[in-house]
């Protein structure tokens, strides 16, 4: 008996400790122990529960999966209806909303709103009794939904038991279940490679995953949750402000979106809207707008509802990122490495804030998988800087007489044979430098901002120069004279002069930039930098064999082979020779870099939006130099790198006295260590 009591206590202590660490991890985003330690606690609990099955309870952190598949979901009557929100699509509509609110309340000064990202997932309602999760339900028609408790239980950021004190006897919260963008892309890539069904967007992925009758399937899906409202709280007084609701939720261990804020008046709403729109692509979750709610809860009650939406809240939507249009024809574009990419020429459509008339179809496998044909009606998507793409064909609207696209046997630009390398999805023009499309792309890459950065030598001009025969290969750009340039259409003498001096300036570069500029397949900026650091000189790099190349961080066997093939080509060597003869140069390292990892021992945190590169790219480049990149700021952080719209991490850095670098300083750091 005594032993049993001891074990029971031990089990409870372990559970509480795991719950606390869940709270640190999911709610505060500030873990106190490493994952390995957490896993150890979990394993210890699992083994005790296995030995003493009687001690297992439904709210034990081990009990996320285990329920048997259902035949159908049960129905749930919502104690409080699940409403929807009215939408605003313009500043005027938002101003009108704010005016209506203040008129009804009889207030003529600006009032407080909470501003929250409008999460693009699936609305759910969670009910806790005495702190234990007892029900999860979908919205359904708002009055009743489906009982998805067993599926909700599999979501690791949903606590099975609340933490903290002063817990209501019954707590019902409203929340959004979503699939984080990165997890969504990984999931789709894996499902696609297994030939399984992929999802159109993270929202469909979340919905599809939650509506699985087998909770074990849901458990495999990387879902997460953000809670935003409390609709029932028996035994604990309701908060006074919406903002307080967030604090209450967090104190009970429920996850709240960190981007929620309080703003004042419509001006505050607009500022938040723009700030959030700018952040949109760097957020780890999808959003389709922002939501404003009157912050005072008694004002919310006074305002009440119309039909199925509250008068005290509104969703201000971002321009749609997906639209419907028709494919006029499918053509093949030839890239720098000769890769033939199928591209859909579209009936122009306004999407994601711009009019688009082309969308990438990536490769033939994708064309076949999606069964895309000329004349089809399709969903196209344009999100942020990402190239527009065809997401899905509307099969029901397929007109008669469409034909499947087939791969051309010859390059559409130079007529050379098209080849498919075994094991690769990509097909390529075999023309190499004979193909003007490949030459144009190679020159565009060489001149691009992150390569030799030749101002004034833009894509249009390069195309013109290649077409009229003034430039054939990269090195020819340094032979251009003012008269030749000024003779071109739309080129004034002033611009010609500027270009000549930009060409001169570009000659002073770094070895890493030069290697990147060569456009070797698989060699991005980070790899180029690793190569430069490791080899020290171009001569050495050109002579290094495949095995030695693979010793370099960031260089795998495939890239190593590409590098070696590139430098084995006589014409590539000739071009390099001519470029150097024209004066392209970089500081020579007299001693080969002794240390490949100059940033070893340093930890950086990236926050906000960077302009010139993505956070992922910045992370990789720091890692190549030996640095660690962490997601949370602590005293051990070497520096926080803050882009536009940096949030709480920046203020935390400030309060801990951690150094803060801007994007320029970051570039300086990675290019000069
Ligand atoms: S509040 C009565 N807050 O948007 C209040 N909803 O269009 C209704 N949503 O069904 C919900 N983020 O699925 C609220 N921060 C947020 C939200 C949010 C996303 C969804 C939710 C709701 C839909 C209404």
């Amino acid at each position: 008996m005594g032993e049993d009591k001891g074990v029971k206590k031990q089990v409870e202590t372990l559970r509480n400790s795991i719950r606390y660490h869940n709270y640190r991890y999911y709610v505060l985003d500030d873990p106190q122990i490493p994952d390995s330690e957490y896993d150890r606690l979990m394993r210890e609990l699992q083994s005790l529960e296995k030995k003493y099955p009687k001690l297992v309870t439904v709210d034990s952190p081990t009990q996320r999966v285990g329920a048997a598949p259902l035949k159908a979901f049960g129905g749930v009557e919502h104690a409080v209806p699940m409403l929807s929100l009215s939408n605003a699509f313009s500043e005027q509509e938002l101003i009108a909303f704010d005016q209506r609110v203040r008129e009804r309340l009889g207030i003529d000064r600006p009032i407080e709103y909470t501003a929250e990202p409008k999460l693009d997932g699936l609305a759910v309602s969670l009910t806790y009794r005495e702190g234990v999760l007892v029900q999860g339900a979908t919205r359904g028609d708002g009055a009743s939904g489906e009982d998805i408790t067993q599926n909700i239980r599999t979501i690791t950021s949903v606590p099975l038991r609340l933490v903290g004190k002063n817990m209501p006897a019954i707590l019902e919260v409203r929340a959004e279940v979503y699939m984080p963008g990165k997890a969504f892309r990984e999931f789709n890539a894996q499902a696609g490679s297994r030939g399984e069904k992929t999802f159109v967007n993270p929202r469909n992925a979340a919905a599809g995953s939650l509506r699985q009758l087998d909770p074990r399937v849901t458990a495999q899906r990387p879902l997460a949750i953000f809670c935003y409202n409390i609709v029932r709280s028996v035994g604990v007084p309701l908060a006074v402000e919406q903002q307080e609701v967030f604090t209450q939720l967090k104190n009970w261990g429920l996850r709240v979106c960190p981007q929620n804020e309080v703003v004042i008046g419509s001006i505050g709403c607009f500022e938040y809207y723009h700030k959030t729109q700018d952040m949109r692509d760097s957020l780890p979750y999808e959003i389709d707008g922002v939501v404003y709610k009157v912050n005072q809860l008694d004002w919310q009650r006074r305002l009440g509802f119309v039909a199925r939406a509250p008068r005290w809240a509104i969703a201000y939507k971002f321009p749609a990122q997906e639209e419907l249009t028709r494919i006029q024809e499918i053509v093949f574009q030839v890239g720098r490495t000769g890769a033939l990419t199928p591209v859909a020429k579209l009936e122009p459509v306004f999407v994601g804030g711009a009019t688009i008339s082309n969308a990438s179809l990536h490769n033939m496998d994708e064309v076949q998988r999606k069964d895309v044909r000329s004349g089809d009606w399709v969903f196209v998507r344009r999100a942020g800087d990402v190239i527009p793409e065809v997401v899905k064909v509307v099969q029901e609207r397929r007109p008669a007489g469409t034909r499947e696209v087939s791969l051309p046997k010859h390059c559409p630009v130079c007529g050379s044979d098209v080849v498919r390398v075994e094991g690769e999805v990509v097909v390529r023009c075999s023309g190499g430098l004979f193909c003007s499309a490949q030459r144009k792309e190679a020159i565009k890459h060489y001149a691009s901002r992150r390569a030799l950065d030749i101002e004034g030598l833009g894509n249009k001009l390069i195309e013109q120069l290649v077409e009229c025969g003034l430039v054939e290969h990269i090195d020819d750009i340094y032979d251009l004279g003012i008269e030749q340039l000024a003779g071109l259409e739309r080129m004034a003498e002033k611009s010609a002069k500027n270009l000549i001096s930009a060409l001169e300036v570009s000659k002073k570069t770094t070895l890493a930039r030069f290697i990147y500029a060569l456009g070797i397949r698989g060699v991005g900026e980070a790899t180029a930098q690793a190569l430069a650091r490791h080899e020290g000189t171009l001569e050495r790099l050109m002579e290094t064999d495949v095995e030695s190349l693979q010793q370099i961080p960031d260089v795998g066997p495939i890239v190593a082979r590409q590098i070696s093939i590139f430098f084995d080509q006589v014409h590539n060597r000739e071009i390099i020779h001519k470029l150097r003869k024209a004066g392209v140069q970089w500081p020579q390292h007299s001693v080969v870099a002794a240390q490949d990892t100059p940033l070893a021992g340093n930890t950086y945190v990236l926050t906000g939006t960077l302009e010139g590169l993505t956070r992922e790219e910045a992370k990789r480049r720091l890692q190549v130099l030996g640095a660690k990149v962490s997601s949370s700021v602590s005293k051990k952080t070497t520096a926080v790198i803050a882009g536009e719209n940096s949030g709480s991490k920046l203020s935390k850095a400030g309060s801990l006295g951690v150094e803060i670098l801007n994007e320029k300083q970051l570039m300086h750091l990675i290019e000069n260590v």
Side-chain angles (χ1 to χ4, degrees), residues 82-87 116-124 139 174-176 228-229 260 288 291 293 305 309-310 312-313 315:
M82 286 183 80
L83 301 160
S84 60
L85 292 166
S86 356
N87 292 322
E116 313 168 23
K118 187 168 191 305
L119 309 157
D120 204 4
L122 199 77
V124 296
R139 190 173 104 126
R174 297 287 152 84
E176 197 85 354
Y228 43 72
N229 271 2
N260 294 354
D288 59 350
V291 179
K293 297 174 187 162
F305 303 87
W312 43 265

Side-chain angles (χ1 to χ4, degrees), residues 234-266:
V234 176
V236 173
L238 281 175
V240 171
E241 295 180 350
Q242 175 71 29
Q243 191 189 20
E244 248 180 275
V245 169
F246 302 143
T247 318
Q248 278 187 325
L249 288 166
K250 282 195 268 190
N251 288 344
W252 285 323
L254 292 156
R255 195 157 170 262
V256 172
C257 177
Q259 262 71 40
N260 294 354
E261 271 180 36
V262 173
V263 297
I264 297 171
S266 51

Side-chain angles (χ1 to χ4, degrees), residues 654-666:
S655 65
L656 290 174
V658 169
E659 190 184 354
I660 295 165
L661 303 179
N662 61 24
E663 183 168 347
K664 224 168 146 190
Q665 291 166 314
L666 164 72

